[in-house]
Amino acid sequence: MKITKLVPKIIYRVGAFSGLEEILKELFPVGSGYLVYIIDSVHQRTGVRAKLPKKEKDLIIDVDVSEHEPRTSQIDEIRDKILTEKKGEMPIVIVGIGGGSTMDIAKAVSVVLTNKGSVTDYQGWDLVKEKSLPKVGIPTLSGTGAEATRTAVLTSPDKKMGINSEQSMFDAIVMDPELLKTVDRNQEFFSAMDCFIHCVESLGGSFIDDLGRSFASVAKKMTVDFFLKEKNYGELMVASYLGGCSIANSEVGVCHALSYGISLVLGYRHGVANCVVFNQLEEFYGPDVKIFKNIVRKHRIELPKNITKGITEEMLNKMIEMTYKMDRPLTSALGKDWKNILTREKITNLYEKM
Ligand code: NAD
Ligand code: ZN
């Protein structure tokens, strides 16, 4: 039975962040407890951190996601830090403020605080046993849809894979388009294209239904309009959310399956890796690759080139192995016999073009 799950509480308003204290009080009264803010360290510069309604007992954890995407070791460390500092007392709520990386860290920490062992035990589908802690997501970069999904994407030494569980879904999200204004233009493009690609992949896959299709088609149009018509940040933020809703109830496809290999082995960030891959996927997503290329041209985006040049056999194999772990997305995209379509030779050939 397919059950569509959505974040139950959403506050969407220009300027909503300035009312965060009231919002949190309404959603999760902490009483004599405390809350943990997990915030992208870029916000020490943007001024967002200074506006947090931190009470004496609350904890702020600044995470630097500028160098790499969330790692499993980082999640276990944050959990240990919270428990050590608070002598085992659990927070009432976790608030994650930032892009996909920071929101995923917040989701993953909420899971390992109540589930024993390392977070690596929960990378996969529906492996989380105990109820996680309540959490609120506040996106400051749009595109990944992490605010809407049941996924928290993490990289461990041998794989990039999400915790995919109801327990890694936010209980509430606060969406304030004003928070997007400080994002660098290139980053804005790469993250927003993640949304566009989510929509293209979910619409092209067999796991989608009419509900997911409606989320994805609206989100896709809003994202394209943002780049080809007018930059409306409210619409971009909503598009990211809707793209997440569509993917949460369907699957990604060929682009994500190949891009995970690139991120894992070559270290490219998700948005960038996706764009490098999507640029070569005419065979699978022809008309949408054309739209993508129009956007790249209009906004003079420089896509990295020749990124696989000179890679060793061992690296290539690891990238192919990573792609082969993406059974669900590839089944949705290409059918049960996807291994006959996306053969090792085909994957090698595609990677060589990038
Ligand atoms: P990100 O969170 O990694 O941030 C990218 C850069 O933008 C960072 O340097 C960050 O500091 C900066 N940034 C964020 N907000 C800013 C702001 N308001 N002003 C200035 N700079 C700001 O980027 P992302 O594209 O949002 O997230 C990528 C991550 O999301 C990857 O790890 C990817 O795997 C994951 N992801 C998760 C899901 C999901 O469903 N959970 C879906 C897709 C991707
Ligand atoms: Zn993505």
Side-chain angles (χ1 to χ4, degrees):
M1 180 168 50
K2 188 171 173 189
I3 304 175
T4 298
K5 299 186 188 80
L6 302 171
V7 171
K9 291 177 183 168
I10 300 173
I11 289 99
Y12 172 86
R13 181 162 47 85
V14 175
F17 186 74
S18 58
L20 187 60
E21 185 168 5
E22 287 307 305
I23 292 171
L24 291 174
K25 216 190 276 171
E26 174 78 24
L27 292 174
F28 299 101
V30 290
S32 61
Y34 73 101
L35 59 78
V36 173
Y37 294 102
I38 296 183
I39 183 166
D40 187 328
S41 57
V42 75
H43 293 304
Q44 291 170 348
R45 188 162 52 72
T46 63
V48 169
R49 188 188 194 273
K51 293 187 195 139
L52 289 178
K54 180 190 177 302
K55 301 273 183 343
E56 205 186 327
K57 221 181 150 186
D58 299 339
L59 275 186
I60 300 185
I61 296 178
D62 300 286
V63 288
D64 183 355
V65 297
S66 62
E67 295 294 319
H68 58 79
E69 293 182 341
R71 293 184 175 157
T72 47
S73 54
Q74 197 181 0
I75 305 302
D76 294 343
E77 276 163 27
I78 295 176
R79 183 253 330 261
D80 295 345
K81 183 180 154 87
I82 295 171
L83 291 179
T84 307
E85 208 151 312
K86 292 292 180 181
K87 300 188 176 66
E89 182 189 345
M90 290 284 176
I92 303 293
V93 58
I94 304 218
V95 184
I97 306 148
S101 295
T102 310
M103 288 191 280
D104 282 353
I105 292 174
K107 293 189 202 180
V109 168
S110 84
V111 167
V112 282
L113 272 166
T114 57
N115 285 271
K116 286 198 194 99
S118 164
V119 75
T120 50
D121 300 338
Y122 307 106
Q123 279 175 290
W125 278 266
D126 299 309
L127 302 174
V128 181
K129 302 213 167 51
E130 305 297 332
K131 196 168 167 38
S132 63
L133 289 181
K135 51 204 154 294
V136 178
I138 307 183
T140 68
L141 173 58
S142 283
T144 66
E147 61 275 26
T149 66
R150 63 200 286 273
T151 309
V153 185
L154 305 170
T155 305
S156 50
D158 64 329
K159 59 178 184 284
K160 175 170 176 175
M161 188 172 277
I163 305 174
N164 294 277
S165 159
E166 230 174 286
Q167 298 308 323
S168 40
M169 197 149 188
F170 283 117
D171 300 274
I173 51 180
V174 179
M175 305 204 296
D176 177 357
E178 286 294 310
L179 297 173
L180 302 181
K181 297 276 172 74
T182 50
V183 178
D184 160 273
R185 294 300 144 241
N186 272 321
Q187 184 65 57
E188 174 179 287
F189 165 82
F190 286 117
S191 295
M193 282 301 111
D194 193 20
C195 174
F196 175 72
I197 296 167
H198 287 160
C199 297
V200 170
E201 289 181 310
S202 65
L203 287 167
S206 62
F207 286 15
I208 199 156
D209 55 17
D210 291 339
L211 188 60
R213 202 171 288 116
S214 65
F215 290 139
S217 18
V218 175
K220 184 178 162 196
K221 182 177 182 316
M222 281 173 151
T223 312
V224 172
D225 286 353
F226 181 85
F227 288 106
L228 295 182
K229 289 189 177 160
E230 187 202 355
K231 285 201 169 185
N232 179 325
Y233 284 91
E235 288 202 1
L236 182 65
M237 189 163 254
V238 172
S240 171
Y241 165 75
L242 291 175
C245 292
S246 109
I247 219 68
N249 296 288
S250 58
E251 254 305 342
V252 284
V254 182
C255 181
H256 275 70
L258 290 167
S259 106
Y260 272 31
I262 289 183
S263 292
L264 179 71
V265 177
L266 303 175
Y268 282 88
R269 302 184 75 93
H270 183 65
V272 180
N274 269 347
C275 287
V276 170
V277 175
F278 197 70
N279 201 35
Q280 301 298 343
L281 294 186
E282 275 102 347
E283 181 183 339
F284 300 99
Y285 304 112
D288 293 311
V289 175
K290 221 179 239 171
I291 298 175
F292 170 82
K293 288 188 172 174
N294 272 343
I295 296 176
V296 169
R297 212 171 302 119
K298 178 173 173 193
H299 290 274
R300 297 194 176 89
I301 302 291
E302 294 272 349
L303 294 178
K305 287 197 186 87
N306 303 323
I307 65 167
T308 54
K309 201 171 166 192
I311 61 165
T312 63
E313 189 84 23
E314 194 188 341
M315 289 161 91
L316 179 64
N317 280 335
K318 197 170 173 188
M319 286 161 69
I320 297 174
E321 288 316 317
M322 183 63 237
T323 304
Y324 266 60
K325 284 186 181 135
M326 304 293 278
D327 179 63
R328 239 180 89 88
L330 291 171
T331 303
S332 175
L334 305 171
K336 273 208 289 292
D337 295 332
W338 62 264
K339 281 187 185 154
N340 294 332
I341 302 168
L342 211 59
T343 57
R344 292 184 80 90
E345 292 67 41
K346 177 99 208 163
I347 299 176
T348 305
N349 198 279
L350 283 166
Y351 275 145
E352 277 171 354
K353 285 201 221 160
M354 294 171 193

